[in-house]
Structures are given as structure tokens and as C-alpha cells.
Amino acid sequence: MGRPNLIKVDVTDGRGLGGAKNKTVTLQTRIPDIRAFRDTPGFAYLLMAANPDVSVPVLRSVLDAVGPHQSHPETWMYKRRELFKVPSMPNGVDPRAIQFVREHMGEPSWKIHKQLREHHIKCSAQFVHRIWMAIWHSTKME
């Protein structure tokens, strides 16, 4: 299997007595076989992360084959699947909605959605969230 890849991160630990202490934490990046986690609640998340391009119905079939304790509704899987994809701007969104979200990035997406409706700009709450995530991700990547 070889030597694991390591990531070293300098952190400040504020726990315990004596105040904050600076230290270096070393994390392994070797990815274990997800089958070792098949009886845990996080198995569905690991499966989706490991297979971002596999369709939800196929992923559900795999979870059903693992056992009834891993079964999840389709809507649950579609919503959580977005966690493992690079955020992108949804297709067919009103450019006014994108501009409005860009100008109100400090507010929660539910509030932005409500304000868009008040301005008679059609955009679902899910699209508002996806627009917000795409804008946020693009500013962090610059």
C-alpha cells in the first residue's frame, strides 16, 4: 500500500487550561476502503463522495444492497449529493437574480429568496442557494 500521504497544518488549540497553544497537527490523506464503514450512518455520504458521477438511482440500488439500514429517499440523496460537487451556476436563471444574490451575499439564502419574490424575480429557494454557493466558491478560488 505504501507510505500514507501526510498534510501538516499549524493550528491554535484553545482547549484546556493555560490558554491557546500553537501546535502542528499531522493528518493522513490515505483514503480507506469505504466498505469498512458500511454499518455506519456516514456510509451513504462516503459512497456519494467516492462516486460523484454515478446516478442517484444506481447509488440507491447499492445502498439497498448493503442493507435496509442504508436506504435513503431519492430527494435526500439529490440534496446531499451537491456537497460533493464543485458549485456551478444553475442553467436558465434570471440574470437579475444572480446580480441580486451577488449584492446580498451577507444575508441568508432564505431571506434573499424572500426579497427576490418581493421584487417579482422568479427563482426557487434551491436555485438561490446554488447561486450563492457558486458565487462564494468562485470568490474563494480567485
Side-chain angles (χ1 to χ4, degrees):
M1 183 180 280
R3 194 168 171 201
N5 294 327
L6 302 175
I7 297 175
K8 290 187 178 184
V9 181
D10 293 324
V11 297
T12 302
D13 185 1
R15 297 176 295 163
L17 300 174
K21 296 178 180 139
N22 293 330
K23 62 183 181 180
T24 301
V25 176
T26 304
L27 305 170
Q28 289 190 19
T29 59
R30 180 177 20 187
I31 299 173
D33 188 345
I34 68 169
R35 290 178 291 182
F37 300 94
R38 71 173 167 213
D39 291 327
T40 66
F43 180 74
Y45 288 100
L46 293 173
L47 184 68
M48 286 187 287
N51 300 284
D53 297 325
V54 176
S55 70
V56 167
V58 170
L59 292 173
R60 286 189 71 215
S61 297
V62 171
L63 290 173
D64 289 342
V66 169
H69 62 289
Q70 290 296 350
S71 183
H72 292 285
E74 208 168 281
T75 54
W76 184 93
M77 297 207 46
Y78 276 112
K79 285 180 183 177
R80 282 146 186 91
R81 174 183 205 148
E82 295 300 317
L83 294 171
F84 305 105
K85 293 184 176 184
V86 174
S88 62
M89 204 58 75
N91 294 331
V93 177
D94 188 335
R96 297 176 302 162
I98 296 170
Q99 185 60 35
F100 191 87
V101 172
R102 192 178 311 271
E103 293 168 357
H104 296 85
M105 288 295 290
E107 298 179 31
S109 58
W110 66 267
K111 194 176 221 179
I112 296 171
H113 178 249
K114 183 179 176 186
Q115 292 171 343
L116 285 170
R117 284 193 351 215
E118 289 170 358
H119 285 88
H120 304 290
I121 300 173
K122 281 190 161 190
C123 190
S124 70
Q126 184 178 10
F127 271 22
V128 169
H129 183 70
R130 286 183 58 195
I131 293 167
W132 191 94
M133 289 298 295
I135 293 169
W136 182 85
H137 182 73
S138 67
T139 58
K140 297 296 178 190
M141 297 305 290
E142 292 175 348

